[in-house]
């Protein structure tokens, strides 16, 4: 979603800000803009489309100033036009960039219109610029005006603000949307995520909800929501350029698919012990709490929800713990009956997904024993709001379509299930642990399937629709495969538990409906063979992922992706990889924007 970057420095900041926006492109956006402030006043450029268009404008008419803000906009209020692009300006003297949604913007707009303010855009952000202008005019104190402005806003925001009359100062505030402050050499920065500041600093402060900040190139002052000066912890984190670049790969997504053996290994490191797995995951005091857990409620969105679905099968079949899973945007708006000793578990790559955060806050009213988040961002809102954090070690994931974040989520979830299974003295855990230890190698070998998947992708790219079928843990993996295909190739794809085929979807099956079937050679393969026959009898074309190819009749309508034999618990982790490659290859054949698919954003920070 929207990306924010700001800088106040001893050097010119215009190009530095646009370069920062390029690093934020992965979040998804439809327009971009930049403003600088100097003795000559505010200077602004805005363009619809890619940051490179803004960059070209900068080359033609460079912006001068040692202080400024820049923004990538993902449209919510008003179409993606130049006038709706940020920064928004009030009376040539205040400029604002904003990430989030101001829920009461209509009411504030009415009040400001009545007070004579003229609106140039349809955005909610413009009310922040005018409201601040009004408060500053009355108080003549920017910090107080900032607090009064924030108190007037309902909703979520992380915004940066500069003033024509104070060219060496930058202000910012946040509530419900993340904002990080970067400490540089005679420079300070703000950004909606630290990736934007990757080449500028390795020293960061994560602002807390309700904080506001004022900074010059040498000084930084943070205030809490009661406007009291506060200090926040300084973090040293080096984010190498290699972590955020594509390296030798054509797309970030392909690089991230290939990084999976390594990041799974990192996620397992030090955690897969013969003794107590939980002791490597949680602090001491959590052990007794986890011992008393009788049921688990998982809540997440998108790919993270699919990981939760797989985990629910694992919790019940491996650890004998009842488990429910729900989409966060559903969970957050309904009443719940929560029995004693229930654990609330969120899953999120970014840790900033608005619906998942709201679901966690909602859950806190229902008396869960504890809250745990499986997350890839140690300082995210979800990590801060949860009692315990289980970090995945996926590294920065830039491709909008989640790949390595998903397989590392599965890895952490399986560790949790094994740990809780150990506490309950369940059987069969050691065999799974042994398989898990070899998982990085198994995934590495699977990447060799690429050459067999390419021709299948060529063929699949000619279709408009596809069905994915699986049973048990392969059902959520079918969902994940379908999600990947639709996200990046724009081919309509749906997943069903294979047994549901004749309860409706079979009506769609003909020679124009390719079916991708996940068929590991387990207790369900005979059932899947029956499904295959139902499809074949109606002229449907099949792609079968299986370690028992001999069970499937050779025909020109059946394409096989050969899988290695693997124990059932690890099937979901392995069967994911060829589906990622298949979606990626189809998208590259079709020439879509693989890393930044249309309309989508990496972190969905608004509802
Ligand atoms: O950051 P999160 O894991 O909370 O994000 C949830 C979804 O928005 C995300 O998984 C989305 O579905 C991805 N684009 C899937 O590839």
């Amino acid at each position: 979603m929207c990306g924010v970057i700001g800088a106040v420095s001893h050097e010119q900041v215009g190009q530095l800000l646009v370069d920062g926006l390029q690093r934020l492109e992965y979040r998804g956006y439809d327009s971009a803009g930049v403003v600088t402030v100097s003795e000559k006043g505010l200077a602004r450029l805005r363009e619809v489309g890619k940051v490179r268009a803004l960059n070209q404008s900068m080359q033609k008419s460079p912006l001068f100033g040692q202080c400024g803000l820049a923004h990538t906009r993902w449209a919510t209020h008003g179409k993606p036009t130049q006038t709706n692009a940020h920064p928004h300006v009030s009376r040539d003297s205040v400029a604002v960039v904003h990430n989030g949604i101001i829920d009461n913007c209509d009411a504030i707009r009415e009040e400001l219109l009545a007070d004579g303010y003229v609106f140039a855009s349809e955005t909610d952000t413009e009310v922040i610029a005018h409201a601040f202008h009004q408060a500053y005019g009355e108080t003549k104190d920017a910090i107080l005006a900032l607090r009064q402005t924030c108190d007037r806003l309902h909703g979520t925001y992380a915004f940066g603000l500069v003033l024509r009359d104070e060219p060496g100062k930058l202000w910012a505030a946040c509530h419900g949307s993340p904002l990080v402050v970067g400490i540089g050499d005679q420079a300070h920065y703000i950004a909606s995520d630290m990736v934007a500041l990757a080449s500028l600093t390795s020293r960061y402060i994560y602002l807390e909800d309700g904080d506001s900040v004022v900074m010059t190139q040498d000084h930084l002052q943070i205030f809490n929501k009661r406007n009291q000066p506060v200090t926040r912890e300084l973090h040293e984190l080096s984010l190498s350029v290699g972590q955020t670049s594509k390296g030798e790969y054509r797309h970030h997504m392909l690089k991230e698919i290939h990084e999976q053996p390594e990041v799974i290994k990192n996620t397992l490191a030090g955690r897969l012990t013969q003794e107590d797995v939980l002791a490597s995951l949680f602090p001491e005091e959590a052990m007794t709490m986890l011992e008393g857990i009788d049921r688990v409620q998982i809540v997440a969105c998108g790919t993270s929800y699919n990981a939760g679905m797989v985990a629910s099968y694992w919790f019940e079949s491996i650890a004998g713990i009842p488990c429910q899973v729900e989409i966060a945007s559903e969970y957050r708006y309904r009443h719940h009956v929560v029995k004693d000793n229930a654990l609330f578990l969120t899953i999120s790559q970014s840790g900033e997904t608005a619906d998942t955060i709201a679901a966690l806050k909602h859950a806190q009213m229902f008396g869960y024993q504890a809250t745990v988040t499986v997350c890839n961002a140690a300082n995210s809102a979800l990590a801060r709001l949860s009692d315990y954090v289980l970090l995945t070690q996926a590294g920065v994931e830039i491709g909008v379509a989640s790949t390595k974040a998903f397989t590392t989520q599965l890895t952490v979830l399986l560790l949790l299930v094994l740990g809780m299974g150990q506490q309950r003295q369940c059987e069969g855990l050691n065999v799974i642990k042994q398989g898990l230890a070899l998982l990085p190698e198994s995934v590495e070998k699977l990447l060799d399937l690429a050459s067999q998947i390419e021709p299948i992708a060529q063929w699949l790219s000619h279709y408009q629709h596809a069905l994915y079928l699986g049973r048990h843990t392969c059902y959520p993996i079918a969902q994940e495969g379908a999600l990947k295909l639709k996200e990046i190739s724009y081919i309509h794809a749906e997943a069903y538990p294979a047994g549901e085929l004749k309860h409706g979807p079979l009506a769609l099956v003909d020679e124009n409906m390719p079916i991708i079937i996940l068929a590991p050679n387990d207790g369900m393969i005979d059932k899947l063979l029956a499904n295959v026959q139902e499809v074949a009898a109606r002229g449907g074309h099949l792609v079968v992922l299986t370690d028992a190819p001999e069970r499937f009749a050779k025909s020109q309508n059946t394409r096989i992706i050969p899988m290695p034999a693997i124990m059932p618990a690890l099937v979901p982790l392995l069967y994911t990889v060829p589906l990622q490659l298949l979606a990626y290859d189809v998208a590259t054949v079709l020439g879509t924007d693989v890393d930044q698919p249309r309309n989508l954003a990496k972190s969905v920070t608004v509802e």
Side-chain angles (χ1 to χ4, degrees):
M1 305 236 121
C2 299
V4 166
I5 178 170
V8 50
S9 174
H10 65 283
E11 56 186 0
Q12 295 292 315
V13 297
Q15 192 57 50
L16 167 160
L17 291 170
V18 176
D19 293 346
L21 284 190
Q22 256 149 8
R23 288 189 291 273
L24 286 176
E25 284 190 291
Y26 79 101
R27 291 170 69 95
Y29 69 103
D30 40 51
S31 52
V34 56
V35 67
T36 56
V37 51
S38 67
E39 273 67 31
K40 293 188 178 154
L42 299 174
R44 171 173 67 157
L45 289 171
R46 296 177 295 170
E47 296 292 343
V48 174
K50 294 287 178 192
V51 173
R52 66 174 169 272
L54 186 69
N55 208 7
Q56 279 159 4
S57 305
M58 271 287 282
Q59 306 307 317
K60 277 193 224 135
S61 356
L63 299 188
F64 297 102
Q66 290 163 244
C67 179
L69 302 163
H71 188 264
T72 45
R73 173 173 186 255
W74 190 86
T76 56
H77 294 61
K79 290 197 171 135
T81 60
Q82 196 182 36
T83 40
N84 285 333
H86 301 211
H88 290 289
V89 170
S90 179
R91 299 197 177 163
D92 285 330
S93 66
V94 179
V96 172
V97 295
H98 160 231
N99 177 17
I101 288 194
I102 307 304
D103 293 336
N104 59 339
C105 69
D106 290 342
I108 304 179
R109 184 182 288 120
E110 289 307 313
E111 291 162 9
L112 290 164
L113 283 168
D115 292 336
Y117 283 91
V118 176
F119 280 77
S121 77
E122 302 159 273
T123 65
D124 52 343
T125 303
E126 199 179 345
V127 302
I128 305 177
H130 294 313
F132 178 88
H133 181 277
Q134 189 173 52
Y136 188 46
E138 285 161 12
T139 60
K140 310 286 182 234
D141 176 337
I143 285 292
L144 192 56
L146 191 59
R147 178 53 44 203
Q148 287 182 358
T149 306
C150 292
D151 289 346
R152 210 169 161 182
L153 306 174
H154 299 165
T156 57
Y157 52 80
F159 68 84
L161 183 149
V162 292
L163 291 181
R164 179 192 58 202
D165 299 337
E166 298 262 18
K169 278 189 184 165
L170 190 153
W171 291 262
C174 67
H175 172 75
S177 295
L179 198 63
V180 61
V181 173
I183 319 288
D185 184 15
Q186 285 185 277
H188 284 108
Y189 311 100
I190 56 161
S192 46
D193 80 55
M194 52 187 266
V195 170
L197 307 179
S199 61
L200 297 171
T201 182
S202 56
R203 295 189 297 150
Y204 301 93
I205 291 170
Y206 297 92
L207 294 183
E208 293 186 9
D209 251 13
D211 282 355
S212 57
V213 59
V214 54
M215 55 185 75
T216 64
Q217 64 180 65
D218 301 311
H219 291 104
L220 174 74
Q221 178 74 70
I222 304 173
F223 300 87
N224 66 13
K225 60 179 94 161
R226 286 184 297 284
N227 234 17
Q228 297 157 329
V230 284
T231 49
R232 301 285 182 225
E233 196 183 341
L234 181 69
H235 298 262
E236 292 267 353
L237 289 166
S238 52
L239 200 58
S240 72
V241 175
Q243 278 182 276
T244 56
S245 76
K246 286 191 283 219
E248 70 200 49
Y249 293 93
R250 190 169 158 200
H251 294 101
H252 284 286
M253 182 181 175
L254 188 61
K255 178 177 176 235
E256 288 157 6
I257 291 173
H258 280 264
E259 281 172 349
Q260 289 179 111
E262 192 192 335
V263 294
I264 291 173
K265 198 167 168 189
N266 296 343
T267 302
L268 289 172
R271 289 163 154 182
L272 196 57
T273 58
Q274 276 314 308
E275 296 77 46
D276 189 355
V277 171
L278 285 185
S280 68
L281 298 176
F282 289 100
E284 180 73 35
E285 87 269 3
M287 299 303 149
T288 331
M289 179 278 291
L290 287 168
E291 227 165 57
I293 290 299
D294 287 340
R295 65 202 80 238
V296 177
Q297 171 71 61
I298 298 179
V299 167
C301 303
T303 285
S304 299
Y305 170 81
N306 293 337
M309 283 282 289
V310 173
S312 72
Y313 286 89
W314 283 337
F315 268 115
E316 305 219 345
S317 62
I318 299 174
I321 301 171
C323 179
Q324 289 186 323
V325 197
E326 190 164 349
I327 294 276
S329 54
E330 288 294 314
Y331 182 92
R332 65 180 286 192
Y333 287 120
R334 68 181 191 87
H335 181 74
H336 300 275
V337 178
V338 178
K339 298 253 177 82
D340 288 348
N341 305 324
L343 181 71
F344 188 81
L345 180 67
T346 55
I347 307 171
S348 174
Q349 185 281 130
S350 63
E352 302 295 349
T353 302
D355 281 320
T356 313
I357 293 170
L360 171 59
K361 289 181 177 164
H362 187 58
Q364 282 161 346
M365 302 189 312
F366 292 102
Y368 285 95
Q369 199 62 36
T371 59
V372 174
T373 189
V374 168
C375 189
N376 195 37
N379 292 291
S380 60
L382 270 176
R384 290 200 301 263
L385 287 166
S386 304
D387 298 334
Y388 302 101
V389 184
L390 286 181
L391 273 185
T392 50
Q393 299 292 347
V396 182
E397 191 180 66
I398 303 274
V400 164
S402 207
T403 52
K404 61 177 182 169
F406 179 65
T407 44
T408 53
Q409 284 169 347
L410 290 181
T411 306
V412 164
L413 288 162
L414 187 51
L415 284 171
L416 176 63
V417 169
L418 287 171
M420 291 180 76
Q422 254 178 339
Q423 277 188 325
R424 284 150 190 80
Q425 295 174 347
C426 297
E427 289 182 356
L429 305 181
N430 281 340
V431 185
I432 302 176
K433 279 196 199 172
Q434 283 155 16
L436 198 49
L438 298 173
L439 186 66
E441 277 168 50
S442 315
V443 171
E444 183 85 58
K445 283 189 199 132
L446 273 182
L447 295 169
D448 294 340
L449 282 174
S451 58
Q452 298 185 54
I453 292 172
E454 272 165 29
I456 299 179
Q458 281 281 355
W459 162 81
L460 188 59
S461 67
H462 296 292
Y463 291 89
Q464 313 268 298
H465 308 272
L467 281 182
Y468 284 67
L469 302 177
R471 286 175 184 257
H472 292 176
T473 53
C474 278
Y475 165 47
I477 298 306
Q479 282 186 312
E480 177 59 11
L483 180 63
K484 288 293 87 94
L485 188 71
K486 70 181 130 191
E487 271 185 303
I488 59 170
S489 74
Y490 316 145
I491 292 176
H492 171 228
E494 297 302 333
Y496 284 92
E500 275 292 289
L501 190 61
K502 38 178 143 6
H503 298 285
L506 195 56
L508 298 170
V509 174
D510 62 13
E511 67 283 4
N512 296 316
M513 178 61 82
I515 317 252
I516 292 98
I517 296 199
L518 282 62
N521 192 7
D522 57 17
M524 300 309 286
I525 196 162
D526 291 329
K527 304 284 174 200
L528 277 160
L529 278 160
N531 297 132
V532 164
Q533 271 149 24
E534 289 155 10
V535 171
R538 285 153 185 91
H541 291 249
L542 288 156
V543 177
V544 185
L545 285 77
T546 184
D547 53 326
E550 69 287 352
R551 307 268 333 249
F552 294 85
K554 286 198 178 61
S555 99
Q556 58 178 26
N557 285 357
T558 303
R559 290 163 174 81
I560 302 277
I561 298 181
M563 297 295 292
I566 187 91
M567 69 184 72
L570 298 183
V571 158
L573 277 145
L574 252 56
Y575 277 61
T576 299
V577 179
L579 296 182
Q580 295 169 342
L581 288 168
L582 184 65
Y584 173 79
D585 286 344
V586 172
T588 50
V589 171
L590 294 173
T592 54
D593 189 345
V594 172
D595 287 330
Q596 291 160 39
R598 68 185 181 201
N599 306 336
L600 297 182
K602 183 69 186 160
S603 299
V604 185
T605 52
V606 297
E607 189 178 354

